[in-house]
Amino acid sequence: MRMARATLSDVQLRDLDWLVSIGDHQHVSAAADALGVSQPTLSRALARCEAELGARLFDRVPDGVRPTPAGSLVLDGARDLTTRYARLVGSLARVVDPDTGLVRLAFLDSMATSLVPSLLRAFHAHAPQVRVELRQEPGHDIVRDFEQGGVDLAIVSDLPPGPYGWHLLQEERLVLVVPATHRWCGRTAVDVAELGGEELITTPPGFGSRRLVDGLLREAGVAPTISFESQDLATIEGLVAAGLGVGIVPEAFAGQSGTVGLRLDAAGARRLIGLTWRTDRELAPPAERFRAFVLRQAAGTPTRATPTRP
């Protein structure tokens, strides 16, 4: 006998679940009672499945039905599929449930010991069963993760190009850090134009902090020598402390390894840090709960700002 070629659109998961119930009860009427459907409805579903699969699945016997060899094969597959689907539904519920689900948060390395821990501590007290998956990476990697759907929200200094929302969380002053033996140590401020003769330690091209620094230098019309590049702002401060050059970093990093922080006389010597998310995609309930919580925590700050775009 030539078997019909069934597709998933023909045999539905509900049908498979009903077949399993018939196999478990070995009686159509008993299975119908357990499922809460009429016996004729279940009998029609069984007949439809047999027609679509091209095989008789049950033999009629005096006290009910028994699976045929083909029926035993179908029941084994049906049990596996319905079990896996139930497991999938349960796992999905745990991910999207606003009380127990998952939030995927990316953030800049420079936020790892300051803003992020305080936000997570507050959110954990608010929603202790929500899991937050963290990605600590540079801004251009965060943009890539957004494009690939790998993160829900991010804490960044650059507002990415495209459909992104933004909420300002904090504003940081940028300062010049110099070694403790530098000739400028007795000063409180430095004009950016004075950096032309200095060796500068900064982040590599493509990083948000590098764009900020390059913008300040370009505005002042100077091009200092780049002596070292590091992705980590704390490392930059440490290299400056070792006497290898000067650096422009957020004020919180000044003095960590013995450097001296000097105010920069430049209107743009600041870094805006904000929470961002895609506006062309709906956030999953746990991520939306995190976003709403952070916005409430930051109440009183502007919901839109003008951070640097790449």
Side-chain angles (χ1 to χ4, degrees), residues 42-308:
L42 187 56
S43 294
R44 286 194 297 270
L46 173 57
R48 184 175 64 251
C49 288
E50 290 181 328
E52 290 168 353
L53 293 172
R56 191 176 73 258
L57 303 181
F58 293 94
D59 284 328
R60 308 280 179 182
V61 295
D63 60 345
V65 295
R66 297 291 184 272
T68 64
S72 295
L73 180 64
V74 170
L75 286 174
D76 286 343
R79 286 192 180 93
D80 179 57
L81 288 171
T82 54
T83 298
R84 284 196 289 167
Y85 181 73
R87 190 180 301 124
L88 170 63
V89 170
S91 298
L92 182 61
R94 288 191 293 274
V95 169
V96 302
D97 189 320
D99 296 321
T100 61
L102 175 68
V103 179
R104 301 170 301 168
L105 176 69
F107 59 94
L108 300 174
D109 291 339
S110 57
M111 297 289 102
T113 59
S114 54
L115 178 61
V116 170
S118 64
L119 281 179
L120 292 179
R121 181 176 62 248
F123 182 70
H124 182 68
H126 168 71
Q129 296 186 66
V130 174
R131 295 180 297 122
V132 182
E133 179 183 280
L134 302 176
R135 293 194 181 190
Q136 181 177 331
E137 54 194 3
H140 51 270
D141 285 345
I142 291 175
V143 172
R144 179 204 63 207
D145 286 342
F146 267 125
E147 291 173 348
Q148 296 177 353
V151 297
D152 303 310
L153 303 141
I155 296 173
V156 296
S157 60
D158 282 341
L159 177 59
Y164 286 89
W166 168 268
H167 189 90
L168 181 64
L169 298 178
Q170 66 182 33
E171 181 175 338
E172 302 174 322
R173 184 164 66 177
L174 298 179
V175 300
L176 180 74
V177 287
V178 301
T181 56
H182 198 278
R183 67 185 184 281
W184 290 342
C185 277
R187 298 172 58 175
T188 58
V190 172
D191 194 291
V192 177
E194 298 180 73
L195 301 181
E198 297 294 319
E199 290 191 341
L200 185 67
I201 304 171
T202 185
T203 51
F207 281 71
S209 57
R210 177 63 175 268
R211 284 189 287 273
L212 290 175
V213 170
D214 286 349
L216 289 172
L217 297 174
R218 186 168 53 251
E219 183 72 20
V222 295
T225 301
I226 304 297
S227 58
F228 291 94
E229 293 177 339
S230 171
Q231 299 182 15
D232 183 55
L233 294 177
T235 299
I236 290 174
E237 192 271 341
L239 293 174
V240 170
L244 298 173
V246 301
I248 297 176
V249 297
E251 189 172 22
F253 287 86
Q256 290 185 356
S257 301
T259 57
V260 175
L262 307 175
R263 188 181 75 251
L264 284 169
D265 284 336
R270 60 178 188 149
R271 182 171 78 152
L272 301 177
I273 300 296
L275 182 73
T276 191
W277 60 92
R278 297 278 299 205
T279 56
D280 59 343
R281 302 171 188 163
E282 185 177 357
L283 286 172
E288 175 56 33
R289 182 175 184 179
F290 183 89
R291 188 188 75 91
F293 176 80
V294 172
L295 267 58
R296 286 196 303 271
Q297 290 286 102
T301 60
T303 56
R304 295 288 301 178
T306 54
T308 312

